[in-house]
Every structure is written in C-alpha cells, then in structure tokens.
C-alpha cells in the first residue's frame, strides 16, 4: 500500500525539478543583475530533488522485505521498470525533434546512452547504474555502510571539483557527463540504505527544529560558495553536486525522515497526487516547459522580471502536464502495464 506521506515529498521534489529547469532562463542575464542573482539564490533552496529521489529509492529498498530473487532477476526487474518509461518518452521526444528538423538520426544512439533523449534523462541513467550495484550494497551491514559513506563523499566531490575546476575544458565538465556517473550521487543512496534500516523510534528521536535550522545554515553556506564561483563558473554555482549543495540535500533527506512522525495521517492531496506520478512528470515536463517559455518570452512584462517568468512558466508547465496525466489516468484506468510504461505509477 502506498503511503501518501512519502508521495507528498516526491511531489515537492518534482515541483523543485520544474523550478530548477524553468530558472535556467536567469543565466542569460548579466552576472550583476537582479534576474541573474534571483536564479542563483533560488537554486540554493531547490537543489535537493535528484538527491532526494535517489535517497528515497534506497530508503524504500532498505525497508522492503528481502526477496528470493537471484541477482540478475533483481537487477532486470529494477532496470526494466526504469528503462521502459525512459524508452517510450525518448521515442516521443526524438520523433518530435526529427519532425522539426532539430535532430540528426546519427545522434540518437548517444542521446539514449547519456539520457539527453529526454533532455534531463541523466537521472534515469544514474538510477539504472544504482540498480545494478544496489544488490551488492544491500549485503553490507549498517556499520559497513556508515564507514563507506565518507569515502563515497570524497569520491563524489573529488571527481566533481576536479572536472569543474582543474579540467574545465574536458567533456566531463559539461552537462550531462559530470552528473552521469553513479558514484557522484552514491552518498545519497548509501544514506538512504542506512536510515531505511533504522526504526521509527530512531526517526522520532531526530529533532526536526535542529534539522530545519541546519537546513537554513547550509543554504547560506551554499549561497556563499555559489557567489565565490559565480564570476567564472555559473553552472557550478547552481550545481546540485557542489559540496554545500550535497550537504543541504543531505539535511533535506534527514528532514524527510524526521518529519515522518508529523505526517502519518495518510490524507492525500495535490502534492501526493504529483508524487504518485513523479516519474511521468520528470520525463514529460521538458517537452512542455520549452514551449511554454517560448510562448511567454515575447511578453516583456513577464520575461524582464524573472521571478514572475520562472514562477509562471513552472505553474503553466505543471498545469499542462497535470492535464495530460488526468487524461491518461482516465484512458488507462484499468491498464496498469501501460500506466507503468508511461511513469504514471
């Protein structure tokens, strides 16, 4: 049975995903402008969704009953659940791009491999990698995982800072390649396995106020680091993988677990509805967002004020994709396979 508490957090994360991609328009303004600064500041608050999704995936794995599946059965099941919706949405994206003349057929194989077939599909490629190594990690004890956690953090930061600061001309420093290796996100997966094996009593012992205060402190630190990198590497200033962003996302993950004691009523709302369909929204929203922003861009009243532009674009994108989800839900209400194939469940 689904628990709406977790779906609400997934819903919040998917809103943050759309906000992140909508705010990319702020990067086209001068570095000393209000619009540019707004984008930098906003990102420090909303850089958590991918890390949180990875954390929750591991968290649920740790909470689930051990199955009698073999390694290959386990991996095949997990990979297929990720790959099928990715393939379907990739075909939709690529077909539309081919029809518009903005895509060459010979580019498609690489786009499937690096996730750009759905624009921001790197997350799916990362999760497929996690699915392959997860059965091995699940065999480790909590104490072994706790020892491995700092090593994974050093590996993640070492790679990211090396390619961004020491080898900025390398293709690895560009999107989608620097967030593509599983090990840059591994601290969140290990953290999910560790906290997922803890009892609810342990979760209740976490002081939510302390965690919330820590979140705002980390956001401030993240903003300071962002401003230090702003002049030379703006993409790093807004990155989800710089040290202070990882720290902030880690606090959000702890906050989610700690707030469980306040959210067990299981009442559904719009956030939980979004969360139940989070994979659909992740895979489909870029198809809509670009068109929405192209439509709004000539409206100077919107575009010249990026706060209004970003928020309006986000709401419009969520509204249109939600309408699509309502229609698909109605059409496929009794077809569970096709719902899963589109990421709706």
């Amino acid at each position: 049975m689904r628990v709406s508490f977790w779906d609400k957090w997934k819903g919040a994360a998917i809103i943050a995903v759309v906000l992140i991609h909508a705010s990319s328009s702020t990067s086209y303004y001068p570095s000393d402008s209000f619009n540019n600064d707004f984008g930098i500041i906003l990102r420090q608050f909303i850089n958590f969704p991918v890390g949180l999704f990875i954390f929750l995936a591991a968290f649920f794995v740790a909470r689930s009953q051990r199955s009698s599946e073999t390694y290959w059965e386990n991996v095949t099941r997990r990979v297929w659940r990720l790959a099928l919706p990715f393939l379907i949405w990739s075909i939709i994206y690529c077909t539309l791009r081919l029809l518009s003349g903005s895509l060459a057929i010979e580019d498609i194989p690489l786009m499937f491999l690096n996730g750009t077939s759905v624009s921001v599909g790197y997350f799916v490629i990362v999760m497929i990698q996690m699915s392959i190594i997860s059965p091995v990690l699940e065999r480790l004890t909590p104490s072994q995982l706790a020892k491995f956690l700092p090593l994974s953090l050093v590996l993640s930061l070492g790679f990211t800072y090396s390619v961004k600061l020491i080898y900025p001309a390398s293709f690895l420093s560009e999107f989608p390649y620097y967030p593509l290796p599983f090990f840059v996100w591994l601290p969140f997966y290990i953290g999910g396995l560790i906290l997922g094996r803890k009892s609810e009593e342990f979760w209740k012992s976490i002081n939510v106020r302390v965690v919330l205060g820590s979140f705002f402190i980390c956001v401030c630190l993240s903003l300071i680091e962002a401003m230090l990198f702003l002049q030379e590497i703006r993409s790093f200033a807004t990155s989800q993988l710089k040290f202070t962003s990882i720290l902030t996302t880690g606090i959000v993950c702890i906050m989610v677990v700690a707030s469980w004691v306040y959210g067990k009523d299981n009442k559904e709302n719009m956030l939980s509805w979004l969360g139940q369909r989070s994979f659909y929204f992740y895979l489909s929203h870029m198809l809509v967002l670009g068109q929405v922003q192209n439509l709004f861009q000539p409206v100077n009243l919107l575009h010249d004020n990026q706060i209004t532009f970003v928020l309006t674009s986000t709401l419009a994108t969520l509204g249109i994709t939600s309408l699509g989800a309502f229609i698909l839900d109605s059409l496929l209400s009794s077809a569970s396979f096709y719902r899963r194939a589109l990421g709706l469940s």
Side-chain angles (χ1 to χ4, degrees):
M1 185 183 77
R2 294 192 75 114
V3 179
S4 66
F5 170 80
W6 306 112
D7 284 329
K8 288 170 187 174
W9 276 104
K10 287 183 178 181
I14 212 64
I15 292 172
V17 165
V18 181
L19 270 172
I20 284 173
H21 298 140
S23 68
S24 63
S25 58
T26 62
S27 66
Y28 298 112
Y29 288 84
S31 60
D32 58 348
S33 66
F34 171 79
N35 283 330
N36 188 290
D37 288 346
F38 163 69
I40 296 289
I41 295 169
L42 176 65
R43 284 296 299 269
Q44 312 317 310
F45 285 90
I46 61 173
N47 268 339
F48 65 86
V50 171
L52 178 58
F53 278 131
I54 291 171
F55 170 86
L56 287 176
F59 184 87
F60 296 141
V61 164
R63 303 294 294 174
S64 63
Q65 295 290 329
R66 293 290 182 95
S67 70
S68 58
E69 293 176 317
T70 66
Y71 170 82
W72 291 112
E73 289 172 340
N74 190 311
V75 169
T76 301
R77 175 177 54 81
R78 296 186 195 189
V79 170
W80 179 244
R81 191 172 179 86
L82 291 163
L84 181 59
F86 173 71
L87 290 173
I88 289 174
W89 282 102
S90 292
I91 291 170
I92 295 171
Y93 276 77
C94 290
T95 300
L96 292 174
R97 289 170 182 167
L98 286 169
L99 291 174
S100 68
S102 60
L103 176 65
I105 292 178
E106 58 268 24
D107 294 333
I108 293 177
L110 178 60
M111 294 172 67
F112 271 75
L113 290 174
N114 63 24
T116 53
S117 53
V118 291
S119 186
V120 290
Y122 73 91
F123 167 70
V124 182
I125 307 303
V126 169
M127 287 307 302
I128 288 174
Q129 295 173 73
M130 292 295 187
S131 297
I132 293 171
I133 68 167
S134 183
V136 177
L137 293 175
E138 291 164 38
R139 292 177 178 273
L140 300 179
T141 65
S143 61
Q144 289 172 325
L145 288 168
K147 292 175 182 176
F148 190 32
L149 181 59
L151 294 176
S152 70
L153 185 59
V154 169
L155 179 61
S156 172
L157 294 173
F159 174 81
T160 302
Y161 280 78
S162 293
V163 299
K164 281 294 187 180
L165 301 182
I166 302 175
Y167 303 106
S170 167
F171 78 94
L172 290 173
S173 70
E174 301 298 327
F175 181 86
Y177 295 104
Y178 75 88
L180 204 57
F182 75 92
F183 55 80
V184 299
W185 302 99
L186 191 55
F188 300 115
Y189 202 84
I190 293 175
L193 290 176
I194 293 172
L195 283 180
R197 293 182 184 178
K198 298 291 186 180
S199 66
E200 289 186 25
E201 291 302 316
F202 177 84
W203 304 347
K204 292 175 184 178
S205 69
I206 302 172
N207 190 313
V208 178
R209 292 182 180 179
V210 172
V211 176
L212 188 60
S214 300
F215 169 76
F216 285 106
I217 291 172
C218 288
V219 166
C220 291
L221 293 175
S222 186
L223 185 57
I224 291 170
E225 186 181 11
M227 290 305 182
L228 289 176
F229 287 112
L230 176 59
Q231 296 300 323
E232 296 182 4
I233 315 175
R234 189 188 190 276
S235 64
F236 201 18
T238 58
S239 174
Q240 302 174 68
L241 290 169
K242 67 182 189 294
F243 172 64
T244 49
S245 291
I246 288 180
L247 197 62
T248 304
T249 301
I251 294 297
V252 171
C253 294
I254 295 172
M255 188 188 307
V256 170
V257 173
S259 61
W260 164 249
V261 67
Y262 300 105
K264 295 178 68 173
D265 54 77
N266 215 32
K267 292 180 181 178
E268 295 191 359
N269 57 21
M270 192 61 190
L271 269 183
S272 59
W273 184 85
L274 288 170
Q276 290 168 14
R277 298 154 180 81
S278 57
F279 202 21
Y280 157 83
F281 282 101
Y282 188 90
L283 293 171
S284 67
H285 76 279
M286 290 299 288
L287 200 62
V288 175
L289 178 61
Q291 301 304 314
V292 166
Q293 293 199 319
N294 287 338
L295 180 66
F296 289 164
Q297 191 168 357
V299 183
N300 292 333
L301 187 64
L302 283 178
H303 195 258
D304 291 345
N305 184 335
Q306 282 293 294
I307 294 179
T308 306
F309 183 76
V310 169
L311 294 179
T312 304
S313 299
T314 299
L315 289 173
T317 299
L318 286 170
I320 294 169
T321 48
S322 294
L323 178 61
F326 278 119
I327 294 171
L328 289 170
D329 278 342
S330 299
L331 294 174
L332 304 173
S333 58
S334 59
S336 58
F337 172 81
Y338 294 105
R339 285 177 52 80
R340 284 196 301 271
L342 291 170
L344 287 164
S345 62

